[in-house]
Amino acid sequence: MLKLLQWVIANQWLMRLLSAISGSFNPWNPTVRRNPYPSYAQLRAQPGLPRLRLFGGYVAARYAEVEHLLRNPAFSTNREAVPLLSTFRRAASDTPEFLGFLDNNLLMLDGARHRRLRGLVSKAFTPRRVEMLRSRVAAIVDNLLESLAPRAEIDIVRDLAQPLPAIVIADLLGIPSSDQAQFRHWSDELVEILDPLSGREGLDPPKRAMRALAAYFRPLLAERRGAPRDDLLSAMIAAEDAGETLSEDELIALASLILAAGHETTTNLIGNAVMLLLRHPSERKRLQDDLGLLASAVEECLRVEPPVQLTDRAVVEPTELAGTRLQRGEIVVALLASANRDPARFPDPDRFDVARGDNDHLSFGLGNHYCLGASLARLEAQVALGALLRRFPDCTGPPDPPAFKPSIVLRGPTALHVRLR
Ligand code: HEM
């Protein structure tokens, strides 16, 4: 089944033809991937819930509907009721480490099990722990920029946006710095779970990654149990709630999730933010004249170019959304990036405004699954942008928009060449 879908996707002409005929949403269409925002506007203008090509699911594109979808218990992250996703699960059954990840992963659980795991991990991953990282993040950014200073041109993605979150996540978890490159690779393979139909290898990369991550974390966890340190792994081992602690499989799934969730997303946030500022000179000048706007500028970058464009929910009890009756087992895509540009919620939504006041974007999700790493991602982006603009106030970017990575879920430039002076 997966192979057949991959073949169909590889043959993009067929995909284009199908969506042209049906008028439904096809995120795999290369034109849509390059610039998805016009098709999001078309979806918002359609009455009811538009259909999603291929899966027979639905798409929520307006802010009010996406908000309802993320908050209402009739919609769940637990996809057991979705027939296509049980095929997905069966395809994973030859790799126990991967099944362990699916079964213990915050993003795929709901209800009491999710509350328990989230409660325990939140005891370890506290705002205080993130705040303690502030000076460390600034030092990492300074080191990276210092090493780039002699060059006339750099690739912001390769030279800053990728290494920064990789170093920070490794530091946070307590992984030796010599293993960071290896971790980046596992993280890249694991995030393909979000988008198995866009790659050529289906579920093989995330399976490989989970085999390797479980083999890596097991001895490290044993080491930390014997000799705890001031890192997130040790804090997660120690986390206790009403006598309950995290099991070995839960710890491996959570550490792997944090590793993967915190890498590519933050890389894309920094890449998108630099791209937006370089392409909007007057907004960039406003920010450079008043770096006090950094926090609101980062929120605006998150709103306008969300690193996570969409998520989904399974219908777990019959319900209605936008006048459409939905049955158990149906899937609804929450187009976060479209909700962020809904004119019913944000005045002049396509305008990039670094000082936008009311900016309740949905780029970190909402409700029970609200991003656990939001404050860390914000911190990294604010520090990186501030340092870049201070150190290289005259840097310039390419005239054309960059190419974006080939994912329908994660959005960020593959490379962004910047002249430092
Ligand atoms: C700009 C960077 C980031 C973006 C845009 C982002 C976005 C998101 C979104 C949209 C969700 C909710 C998904 C859903 O409801 O289906 C989420 C959940 C999550 N994020 Fe992030 N994230 C970012 C960075 C991070 C970082 C740095 C970490 C960890 C260090 C992290 C860890 C998590 C975890 C563990 C969850 C699952 C929470 C749960 O299900 O209870 N994220 N993220």
Side-chain angles (χ1 to χ4, degrees), residues 294-328:
L294 261 176
S296 84
V298 167
E299 295 313 301
E300 184 67 344
C301 295
L302 280 158
R303 185 187 71 82
V304 170
E305 279 289 4
V308 178
Q309 294 268 302
L310 54 92
T311 180
D312 62 43
R313 293 291 186 264
V315 180
V316 287
E317 57 189 73
T319 185
E320 196 179 301
L321 185 61
T324 306
R325 289 294 312 158
L326 297 166
Q327 300 307 324
R328 184 180 150 78

Side-chain angles (χ1 to χ4, degrees), residues 70 77 79 105-109 114 118 125 169 172 254 257-259 261-263 265-266 269 302 306-308 311-313 336 362-366 368-374 376-378 380:
L70 297 181
T77 48
R79 286 102 173 159
N105 178 333
L106 281 178
L107 277 170
M108 297 185 186
L109 297 172
H114 176 262
R118 176 130 181 163
F125 196 2
I169 285 286
L172 175 79
L254 286 168
L257 174 66
I258 288 172
L259 175 83
H263 253 121
T265 49
T266 314
L269 170 58
L302 280 158
V308 178
T311 180
D312 62 43
R313 293 291 186 264
L336 307 171
L362 300 182
S363 297
F364 288 121
L366 206 65
N368 296 342
H369 293 273
Y370 183 79
C371 177
L372 207 63
L376 179 58
R378 287 178 162 125
E380 289 181 56

Side-chain angles (χ1 to χ4, degrees), residues 151 153-163 414-417:
R151 294 199 229 158
E153 186 179 305
I154 60 162
D155 171 3
I156 280 287
V157 177
R158 184 197 56 204
D159 298 330
L160 178 67
Q162 270 178 2
T414 46
L416 188 62
H417 296 282

